[in-house]
Amino acid sequence: MKIIRDDLTHPAVIGLLDLHLRAAFENSPPGSVFALDMSGLRDPAVTLWSAWDGGDLLGLGALKQLDASHGELKSMRTAPAHLRRGVAGAMLDHLIAEGRRRGYRRLSLETGSNPPFAPARALYERTGFAPCGPFADYSDTDFSRYYLLQI
């Protein structure tokens, strides 16, 4: 597996991001989707990485700088053909290492509370993320779950 900084131009990356957004809207109540679209991922505060095995796209993950010591995980998605093969864990490890490299002291994330988001919550909790309250511009809702990792 090779993880590279992505420029959002490869058709497979665009397709997986489209799948990510469609799934977010299908599995979240109105007003509760915070997944970034292409313009959001092109924000200078956001960096996207893609994971590859040769020509096969395995997954994606992004890191958004909230301030000099705080980053937010965004757009974590494994390609459907590569689920349960360690892609998400490898990408998460990469994002945490990048956060440390950047000098962040903490990483936060928002995810859903319903069953489609259970695998994501389990991954984050296994990695040491702890539930917390809303951060940045998020509001407390019944649907959203927030996590924090001190690094």
Side-chain angles (χ1 to χ4, degrees):
M1 179 184 314
K2 182 178 181 182
I3 298 176
I4 62 168
R5 187 172 177 162
D6 203 279
D7 64 4
L8 298 161
T9 59
H10 194 285
V13 170
I14 294 168
L16 187 54
L17 287 169
D18 181 60
L19 171 72
H20 181 64
L21 279 174
R22 281 186 285 121
F25 281 100
E26 290 169 6
N27 294 307
S28 305
S32 295
V33 175
F34 302 106
L36 297 175
D37 61 12
M38 293 294 282
S39 65
L41 288 166
R42 286 191 172 106
D43 182 302
V46 178
T47 308
L48 179 78
W49 287 269
S50 53
W52 298 85
D53 181 6
D56 291 334
L57 176 62
L58 306 177
L60 303 168
L63 188 57
K64 179 179 181 180
Q65 181 170 328
L66 299 177
D67 63 40
S69 65
H70 190 188
E72 178 183 4
L73 301 185
K74 301 293 291 182
S75 302
M76 288 280 296
R77 174 61 61 164
T78 299
H82 301 285
L83 291 170
R84 306 216 184 336
R85 295 185 181 173
V87 175
M91 181 60 74
L92 185 55
D93 289 346
H94 177 82
L95 296 175
I96 293 168
E98 177 65 17
R100 285 186 179 115
R101 190 192 69 72
R102 292 181 179 189
Y104 296 162
R105 291 192 303 268
R106 58 193 175 154
L107 292 174
S108 297
L109 65 95
E110 180 275 339
T111 193
S113 61
N114 62 353
F117 295 93
R121 292 190 309 271
L123 171 67
Y124 299 133
E125 290 169 8
R126 276 194 314 271
T127 307
F129 281 82
C132 66
F135 60 93
D137 295 330
Y138 291 103
S139 306
D140 201 10
T141 69
D142 289 337
F143 180 74
S144 289
R145 295 296 174 262
Y146 305 98
Y147 288 88
L148 173 68
L149 178 68
Q150 301 286 345
I151 59 173

